[in-house]
Amino acid sequence: MATQHKTGKSEAHETRDHDTIRRWAEERKAIPATVRGTARGGDEAGILRFDFVGDGQKREEALEEISWDEFFEKFDEAKLTFLYQDRTADGHVSRFNKFVRH
């Protein structure tokens, strides 16, 4: 379930629902990733991000792709909430997203 917040003409939402997060990312051709060098040892994923790789975009060098399982394990372990926007104020598909502690 997503909670909505008005931000000017656009709305921000927040959710912890894995299906909602994955659907939002896949609709924008984004893959789960971690920022290189931010893991604290072992197989732990570091800081979570999405790498938007669709439409011929170059992959972000600072990001390393991880599996959805790894992504959601870290997401849950860190007690994160996904803050996101579906559309910009002018109606375009938005890529705005942020991971925040709840």
Side-chain angles (χ1 to χ4, degrees):
M1 184 172 143
T3 303
Q4 296 183 356
H5 303 279
K6 291 269 186 193
T7 55
K9 294 181 181 180
S10 58
E11 291 183 357
H13 309 277
E14 62 181 53
T15 189
R16 294 194 34 75
D17 181 73
H18 293 189
D19 292 334
T20 300
I21 296 166
R22 187 171 182 163
R23 184 172 35 256
W24 183 92
E26 289 176 345
E27 286 173 356
R28 288 154 180 80
K29 297 182 175 116
I31 57 172
T34 185
V35 178
R36 291 184 197 279
T38 61
R40 294 185 199 142
D43 294 330
E44 176 189 333
I47 297 172
L48 298 179
R49 295 285 187 266
F50 284 122
D51 196 357
F52 296 91
V53 297
D55 301 326
Q57 289 188 339
K58 186 177 178 182
R59 294 200 55 183
E60 185 72 37
E61 287 185 32
L63 300 180
E64 180 178 341
E65 183 177 359
I66 59 174
S67 71
W68 280 109
D69 288 341
E70 288 176 283
F71 180 87
F72 286 123
E73 183 178 322
K74 174 65 177 180
F75 179 84
D76 291 339
E77 177 185 289
K79 297 183 170 95
L80 297 175
T81 297
F82 182 59
L83 180 64
Y84 66 102
Q85 184 180 50
D86 284 319
R87 298 269 173 197
T88 62
D90 60 2
H92 292 94
V93 173
S94 177
R95 290 185 177 173
F96 169 79
N97 72 95
K98 187 174 185 178
F99 296 99
V100 295
R101 293 196 189 271
H102 68 253

